[in-house]
Amino acid sequence: MKKAASLLFMLVLFFSGFANSAEKNPLNTYHEANMAYQKLDFEKSIKLYEELIQNKNISASIYYNLGNAYFKNGNFSKAILNYERALKITPDDEEVNFNLKIASLKVVDKMESVPEIFYKKWINKFAAFFSSKTWTILLIIFVWFLFTAASFYFIGRSVRIKKIAFVLMLVLLFISAGTGIIAARSNAITHIDKKGIIMSSSVYVKSSPDEKGNDLFILHEGTKVEILDNLNNWNKIRIANGGIGWMPAEDLTII
């Protein structure tokens, strides 16, 4: 069980439970779920972790622990789903990434990803270093420094100060532009891009959003897909190798 990343969440649960003493204390529920997991009562731990999430007590630790409980219980698709949800909160967590790789070995569909253009790969890699909120804060800081340098350039009286301010303006402009691109990408990954996990044992992906569409390919539970569009309870999806088609929304759970 993951412990190090759960300390802050436990404090949040404590004060949440203190403020709502008439209800069941979420910290007690969290401890009870952990104890059930340690006693190998995975059904009970799953129920309790899910209860916490339904009551808006959300953290990477809960998703991670819930993923572990589902994995131990043999439900690999839901294990993958919860590991992915944990990574949306803490994308650089080594334990979550490792367990996700182990769970992904249980997925039937093995496909090669379409190679990313090098600069997109770099942007995505940088975007994963911090949360979208942190990147936005960094962007604001760099823009503030940029305006400060510009002020020194326009109001500075000495030629030397103007030269230094001009160089700083160019450097900060470049850094701000780069940070802005990364911040936008990080925000898209967190809030705009939609991905999901196949929950049905198998599902045919169609050429159109209806049962009469031609079967393009079949996917199995646990496979991760990108959601491009939706229409009348059908989702347009793209898989790792670039294949695109339509599938029933009910067979897919959004991460």
Side-chain angles (χ1 to χ4, degrees), residues 91-110:
D92 58 344
D93 191 296
E94 293 182 359
E95 292 181 44
V96 181
N97 276 291
F98 177 79
N99 282 20
L100 175 59
K101 288 180 181 179
I102 297 299
S104 297
L105 295 175
K106 304 292 184 179
V107 177
V108 173
D109 300 318
K110 312 292 182 186

Side-chain angles (χ1 to χ4, degrees), residues 182-202:
I182 296 171
R185 181 57 191 145
S186 179
N187 181 70
I189 291 172
T190 305
H191 303 291
I192 300 175
D193 292 354
K194 286 187 177 180
K195 293 182 171 60
I197 303 296
I198 304 294
M199 287 296 160
S200 300
S201 58
S202 63

Side-chain angles (χ1 to χ4, degrees), residues 18-31:
F18 181 78
N20 301 281
S21 56
E23 301 176 1
K24 187 175 181 181
N25 191 325
L27 182 57
N28 292 338
T29 303
Y30 184 70
H31 283 312

Side-chain angles (χ1 to χ4, degrees), residues 21-248:
S21 56
E23 301 176 1
K24 187 175 181 181
N25 191 325
L27 182 57
N28 292 338
T29 303
Y30 184 70
H31 283 312
E32 189 178 350
N34 290 345
M35 290 299 296
Y37 182 93
Q38 292 171 9
K39 293 178 180 178
L40 307 184
D41 189 350
F42 303 122
E43 290 284 354
K44 183 178 179 180
S45 66
I46 287 170
K47 180 181 178 181
L48 292 171
Y49 288 133
E50 291 282 16
E51 180 183 316
L52 286 168
I53 292 170
Q54 288 173 6
N55 292 329
K56 308 301 181 183
N57 297 299
I58 294 172
S59 78
S61 296
I62 283 189
Y63 282 133
Y64 175 78
N65 291 348
L66 180 57
N68 288 341
Y70 272 122
F71 184 88
K72 293 291 186 179
N73 211 37
N75 193 329
F76 304 119
S77 57
K78 287 196 174 182
I80 291 171
L81 173 68
N82 284 283
Y83 289 146
E84 291 281 3
R85 286 175 172 173
L87 286 178
K88 289 193 75 172
I89 301 173
T90 54
D92 58 344
D93 191 296
E94 293 182 359
E95 292 181 44
V96 181
N97 276 291
F98 177 79
N99 282 20
L100 175 59
K101 288 180 181 179
I102 297 299
S104 297
L105 295 175
K106 304 292 184 179
V107 177
V108 173
D109 300 318
K110 312 292 182 186
M111 58 190 77
E112 293 292 331
S113 299
V114 176
E116 286 185 308
I117 300 174
F118 71 94
Y119 66 85
K120 288 186 177 181
K121 188 175 182 180
W122 291 349
I123 292 173
N124 288 334
K125 193 170 183 180
F126 277 113
F129 282 160
F130 304 114
S131 67
S132 59
K133 182 178 180 180
T134 302
W135 279 116
T136 302
I137 292 172
L138 288 173
L139 174 60
I140 293 171
I141 292 172
F142 287 131
V143 170
W144 185 85
F145 280 128
L146 174 61
F147 278 107
T148 302
S151 298
F152 276 103
Y153 175 76
F154 287 109
I155 67 175
R157 295 182 178 180
S158 107
V159 174
R160 183 181 178 189
I161 290 178
K162 283 181 174 291
K163 285 183 178 180
I164 294 173
F166 182 75
V167 172
L168 284 174
M169 282 174 57
L170 292 179
V171 173
L172 288 168
L173 180 63
F174 176 79
I175 294 174
S176 297
T179 305
I181 293 171
I182 296 171
R185 181 57 191 145
S186 179
N187 181 70
I189 291 172
T190 305
H191 303 291
I192 300 175
D193 292 354
K194 286 187 177 180
K195 293 182 171 60
I197 303 296
I198 304 294
M199 287 296 160
S200 300
S201 58
S202 63
V203 57
Y204 282 99
V205 178
K206 304 282 188 175
S207 59
S208 59
D210 57 73
E211 291 292 347
K212 296 181 181 179
N214 295 325
D215 294 336
L216 300 179
F217 48 87
I218 187 172
L219 296 176
H220 299 84
E221 62 179 327
T223 302
K224 182 179 177 181
V225 301
E226 181 182 359
I227 302 172
L228 304 176
D229 198 1
N230 61 78
L231 178 66
N232 298 329
N233 296 320
W234 286 77
N235 283 331
K236 186 178 183 181
I237 59 99
R238 177 164 53 207
I239 56 178
N241 63 11
I244 295 177
W246 293 85
M247 62 170 288

